[in-house]
Amino acid sequence: MVLDCCLHMKGTNTGTELLICVGLLRDEPKLRAMECVVQGIIETQHVEALEILLQGLCGVPKERLRIHELCLKSGPNLGAVASEVRLLCDLEQPEPTWTVRHVGGAMRGAGAEQISVLVRTVVESKASKNVLRFFYTLGYKLDHELLRVGFAFHFQRGAQITVTVTSVNKMLKLHATEEAVPVTPGIQLVEVTAPASSDNYTEVVAAISSFCEYLAPLLHLSKPNVSAGVVPTAAAAAASLMSNGGGKTL
């Protein structure tokens, strides 16, 4: 059973507004007001060592990921300010599930510049399988699509943290996920995120920063689009983790 609902999000810092009307699943939609995030890259040859380290730190089973991501952009008939919406299809589920995700503006000001974690507004919700057709009807156009394959850990460590490690692939043909090829062969994307609010984002930032220190020997994590490349110590750290199994919680 599907319900037709509307989500209204106002960008806190950009002043833009987005009205998303989608067919939502009857289950309670997953909505976030803010999100804290850092990203980094790691060579594929060291991913197994990173997984061992994360397993020891998190103490929870990993979740396999195979996400088909479609980036849609609004056409000229939808207003002067262009908007971008991402539709995520979880292909790991027996019945593929869809999520609508819109990322708003990042927090600005002197305080935001001084922290290494990006704090931004975000809204997302589960959606029905006809959501792509719905956005096409609204006038959105497909800008690009990706296939992200890898794994994730979800755990509590001062905040509800999620770590994803994925190979980012591009499609050679429209929606041809089986023919996807890596965007950057030999490199995988690592992302650490946690939901936040205007009342607790400082605590969430502190929790993410503290957790990232454990990963520093393998990779450098920073705000999105601010990459320091691979870490010189990664090979030695990976060798050490692989030799001792790295299974103990730090």
Side-chain angles (χ1 to χ4, degrees):
M1 185 68 178
V2 174
L3 297 178
D4 290 326
C5 300
C6 292
L7 302 179
H8 182 262
M9 190 203 80
K10 183 174 183 179
T12 304
N13 301 300
T14 63
T16 61
E17 295 185 0
L18 175 70
L19 180 63
I20 307 176
C21 300
V22 295
L24 296 177
L25 299 180
R26 186 175 290 280
D27 293 340
E28 183 68 19
K30 180 183 180 182
L31 300 174
R32 300 182 192 173
M34 299 176 72
E35 177 182 70
C36 298
V37 58
V38 290
Q39 291 179 345
I41 59 174
I42 189 170
E43 292 177 296
T44 300
Q45 61 183 326
H46 301 321
V47 166
E48 185 178 356
L50 176 60
E51 182 181 343
I52 290 173
L53 177 58
L54 289 172
Q55 184 68 68
L57 289 169
C58 306
V60 296
K62 71 178 181 181
E63 173 190 340
R64 295 190 179 277
L65 297 178
R66 185 175 174 82
I67 305 295
H68 183 192
E69 178 178 313
L70 300 97
C71 178
L72 307 178
K73 292 191 175 181
S74 62
N77 60 315
L78 293 177
V81 180
S83 66
E84 181 179 290
V85 174
R86 293 181 182 270
L87 306 182
L88 312 177
C89 184
D90 187 353
L91 301 178
E92 274 294 316
Q93 301 301 318
E95 181 71 24
T97 58
W98 288 85
T99 299
V100 181
R101 178 176 172 86
H102 174 79
V103 177
M107 186 176 71
R108 299 177 181 177
E113 296 296 329
Q114 294 172 3
I115 59 177
S116 59
V117 177
L118 182 70
V119 183
R120 63 192 181 189
T121 57
V122 63
V123 60
E124 66 178 35
S125 180
K126 297 297 184 182
S128 61
K129 61 184 179 181
N130 65 350
V131 63
L132 178 58
R133 185 173 62 221
F134 180 82
F135 275 99
Y136 282 163
T137 302
L138 285 181
Y140 279 79
K141 305 293 183 183
L142 178 64
D143 185 71
H144 65 273
E145 56 181 336
L146 300 169
L147 179 68
R148 300 180 186 271
V149 181
F151 58 88
F153 286 92
H154 308 278
F155 58 98
Q156 182 73 34
R157 197 183 183 100
Q160 191 60 46
I161 297 175
T162 295
V163 181
T164 61
V165 183
T166 55
S167 169
V168 182
N169 305 274
K170 61 183 178 181
M171 259 65 81
L172 301 178
K173 299 177 183 178
L174 185 66
H175 306 334
T177 56
E178 298 304 320
E179 300 178 28
V181 297
V183 174
T184 52
I187 296 292
Q188 297 202 23
L189 175 68
V190 181
E191 188 172 67
V192 181
T193 63
S197 69
S198 57
D199 296 327
N200 75 344
Y201 76 87
T202 55
E203 290 84 356
V204 176
V205 166
I208 288 182
S209 298
S210 176
F211 176 76
C212 289
E213 292 179 4
Y214 291 109
L215 308 183
L218 282 175
L219 74 158
H220 175 72
L221 292 158
S222 58
K223 295 177 181 179
N225 302 319
V226 183
S227 175
V230 296
V231 175
T233 59
S240 176
L241 284 163
M242 296 297 290
S243 65
N244 62 27
K248 295 182 180 180
T249 303
L250 300 181

